[in-house]
Amino acid sequence: MNQITPASIGLSREDLPNSYIGRSVPRPNAPKLVQGRATYTDDVVLPRMLHTAFLRSPCAHARIGAIETAAAMAVPGVVRVFTGADIAKVCDPWVATLDHLKGMKSAPQYPLPLHRATWQGEPIVAVLAETRAAAEDGVAALAVTFEPLPAQTDMESALAPGAVVIHPELGDNLVFTRTAETGDVAAAFAAAHKVVEARFVTGRHTGVTLEPRSIIADYNRADGTLTVHHSTQAPHMMQGVFAKQLRMAEGDVRVICKDVGGSFGIKVHVYPDEVAVAAMARIMGRPVKFIADRFEAFASDIHARDHRIHGRLAVDAEGRVLAFDVDDLTGIGPYSVYPRTSAIEGNQVVNLCGGPYDFRNYRCTTTVVLQNKAPTCQYRAVGHPIATAVTEGLMDLAAEALGMDPIEIRRRNLIRDDAYPYTSPAGMRFEGLSHHASLDKLLQMVPVARIRADQAEARSRGVYRGLGIAAFIELTNPSPFMYGIGGARISAQDGCTVRMDPDGSIVASSGVTEQGQGTEAILAQIVAHGVGVAVERVKIITGDTQTTPYGGGTWACRGAGIGGEAALQSAIALKQQLLDVAGAMLQAAPDSLDIVLGRIVDKAGGAERMTLHELGRIVYFRGDTLPRELQRELVQTRHFITKEYPFAFTNGIQASWVEVDPATGMVKLLEHWCVEDCGRIVNPMLVDEQVRGGIVQGIGGALYEHCIYDAQGNLLTTTLADYLVPMSAEMPEMHVGHVETPTRESLLGAKGAGEAGTAGAPGAIMNAINDALRPLGARVHEQPFTPERILRALGTIA
């Protein structure tokens, strides 16, 4: 579509009999200066940017009737109103399934629906105007008829007879189910000394990024290209999505993504309103801008963690784990989210339950169903905090049933540090973990004896405090076995181009992106180390599909492990190239030279021979003085992808010390500890703060954050006054420790670090609360652990 051809610029084939090369071909619609302003050849002034606002469904499920737009078009500043049918003329629907998730199904989704609204907050009609205020006034003037339909909001009845089938063409509301089973689970439970079980609930919540979702799309009719400035984690993935859905060539789409104000997985998905923005820009030939406000964010950003789990654990008389049996149910909204799909979180629960422990009998089922609520998908530490809470909650119940210390039961069951490579009952392959070393490190940091003494003394005064432990594994550095194997155009590899400029400075372009986690800082460190220059001499460029090597972007803690390794290999290759050139100039063997802080030195004695600035001057401006056969580009590109293991697993363990007020149900966090093994640590401060930030988000899910719906599917938590997030006043003192087990798949040896805090914090807090409540005979397993739920567990309220 819209390619420049002879016919499109007024030439016949006879005018260009052989080739464009060597002929003067006029540029279509070439701009010229008219009275000091840039115009096109028809003297039309360059288009001004338009702003869009969306009318969103007030119903969880409704048939869309008449859409009256006349009043909206009469609003000053309104330019056009778009319906689903208008957008569908230039944009195809998508279906979010992955081929390797056998039997998975979902319905086609359009940017704006054609006939039915399927969740409250779904974008229905778009208004384009000269300002955002005018666009919102236009939305207020729209008259749209909605015919309410019965809504299926309860996941537990979604497959029952009589349930509302959200998409009748699918036959039912089942999206995906998978069971992993190894060993003889029934026999293990029959032979067990103790069997414990519980029902766990994790509350639906969302990312609450500092910067809301935002996009500016600009379609250039002159050359048929689309440029999208996008707050996203994966610019190359979105380049492919926009091209495919808008029927364009991928090379005609450019996605630019500079510093992003937080993402946490929220911005790695395809949103219908954002695709609509790109489609409207293409139709209008003008830039179109959309920024979600906070109300829209709560109703339209993806949610996550909406699970109901029944878990059982069998142990012998010595506290050895014999078997896990877990049944997980999750509701994902009315559509699976494109292109990563909404089945991955449940699939991860199957992969990760029981992960830190050495046992042989395992059964875990996940069932993924549709419901009339906002779609759910991947959010920081996908599935990890759910699997960890279930696993660690059951381990504490087993310790209590046996009269065993919770630390001791873990020590007896954690996979030995010399047992690797190891394959878990769920089929996960571990290259090398450090559970016992991490536990030992934690016990060096946590004053357990003092805490237990304080706990006993406080109980004598009617003050209830508890200590909770949670071990975890974390999936990082994913290979194509995550998405590519399922047919998704989501790259597991990443690339980096490193060049030296004439002044001796280094520029590195990387496919990973900066989301506030410090990616550019660690890439600068890695490149500086690899080349041999000061870190302040390195400039990092990220987030532009036109200028950076193709890559997967930022997700699943892959920035250091994948992007960092590509940067290191590129830097080392550039260093070797620089030494080859220096050797020719200095008449010395390249392997007798080294680069130290921007200077070429003798490797043996360290004597300076020349600076990189001087080398750059000669290569770029006096190349005539160099041997003709000498390679002198001073730029290298390398890509990296993991090959031997599908994922680079990390591990760790957390502890939480809390106080629970039985009169009010309030939980006070006193202190929190985390030990993580993320492989080679590149920047200790960044890793520590990533872990702390992850703990904070884990605290949010454990105690505060909850997207609450009523029975009709109306979202009740639509502002930060209703949806609570952890604030500084609630934060405990957090201590972070490390064990380093580098991966052997890369020279750098780095794994991911960004999700560890989130993975383990809810389980540790849950166990700490239950340790505090144990003398009172109460127990909670439903997140968030609100005062109401704690008081209900205590029997204070019905």
Side-chain angles (χ1 to χ4, degrees), residues 594-664:
D594 199 1
I595 304 176
V596 178
L597 293 178
R599 292 172 170 80
I600 310 292
V601 300
D602 285 324
K603 184 181 293 185
E608 181 179 332
R609 303 292 301 275
M610 70 184 306
T611 65
L612 289 182
H613 182 280
E614 177 65 8
L615 185 149
R617 183 189 69 81
I618 294 172
V619 169
Y620 281 101
F621 308 122
R622 289 304 312 274
D624 59 297
T625 65
L626 298 174
R628 180 177 300 177
E629 68 278 5
L630 184 67
Q631 295 295 318
R632 61 190 76 180
E633 291 86 356
L634 303 191
V635 59
Q636 291 289 327
T637 298
R638 295 292 185 273
H639 288 77
F640 177 73
I641 188 171
T642 56
K643 299 182 179 70
E644 185 174 350
Y645 288 87
F647 313 102
F649 276 93
T650 73
N651 70 275
I653 189 164
Q654 296 190 33
S656 189
W657 176 228
V658 308
E659 181 178 306
V660 182
D661 185 345
T664 64

Side-chain angles (χ1 to χ4, degrees), residues 231-250:
S231 181
T232 180
Q233 297 171 234
H236 284 102
M237 182 196 83
M238 290 308 304
Q239 176 191 33
V241 168
F242 288 129
K244 179 180 178 181
Q245 303 314 131
L246 296 175
R247 309 162 197 164
M248 298 178 64
E250 197 162 319

Side-chain angles (χ1 to χ4, degrees), residues 279-452:
M280 290 186 289
R282 186 170 189 199
I283 292 170
M284 299 297 293
R286 295 175 65 173
V288 177
K289 177 180 180 179
F290 169 65
I291 298 178
D293 62 31
R294 189 62 66 186
F295 178 85
E296 288 179 297
F298 280 119
S300 64
D301 286 2
I302 65 103
H303 297 175
R305 315 259 210 265
D306 201 359
H307 288 251
R308 310 289 182 269
I309 311 105
H310 181 258
R312 296 195 302 152
L313 172 61
V315 293
D316 67 15
E318 301 301 317
R320 301 285 183 183
V321 172
L322 300 178
F324 276 92
D325 187 9
V326 179
D327 191 0
D328 169 57
L329 173 68
T330 180
I332 64 162
Y335 296 97
S336 172
V337 177
Y338 190 72
R340 294 166 190 267
T341 84
S342 302
I344 292 296
E345 187 173 74
N347 200 54
Q348 290 289 69
V349 172
V350 176
N351 290 337
L352 299 173
C353 275
Y357 300 109
D358 185 9
F359 63 100
R360 291 292 173 265
N361 305 294
Y362 182 65
R363 180 169 57 218
C364 186
T365 297
T366 188
T367 303
V368 182
V369 299
L370 299 174
Q371 56 185 169
N372 289 117
K373 296 181 180 179
T376 72
C377 206
Q378 285 83 313
Y379 168 53
R380 190 176 193 173
V382 184
H384 292 68
I386 302 160
T388 301
V390 171
T391 301
E392 296 303 293
L394 290 173
M395 291 296 288
D396 260 28
L397 289 175
E400 183 179 358
L402 292 166
M404 185 177 292
D405 185 89
I407 296 173
E408 180 58 28
I409 197 171
R410 287 169 171 81
R411 191 185 298 280
R412 293 187 184 189
N413 287 283
L414 289 169
I415 302 169
R416 300 189 330 271
D417 291 355
D418 61 357
Y420 301 95
Y422 183 96
T423 301
S424 75
M428 297 294 100
R429 295 173 56 212
F430 305 145
E431 177 194 9
L433 302 177
S434 60
H435 288 297
H436 286 271
S438 296
L439 176 59
D440 291 342
K441 177 74 172 180
L442 183 76
L443 295 179
Q444 294 171 16
M445 297 166 59
V446 180
V448 176
R450 179 180 63 78
I451 284 174
R452 290 304 187 195

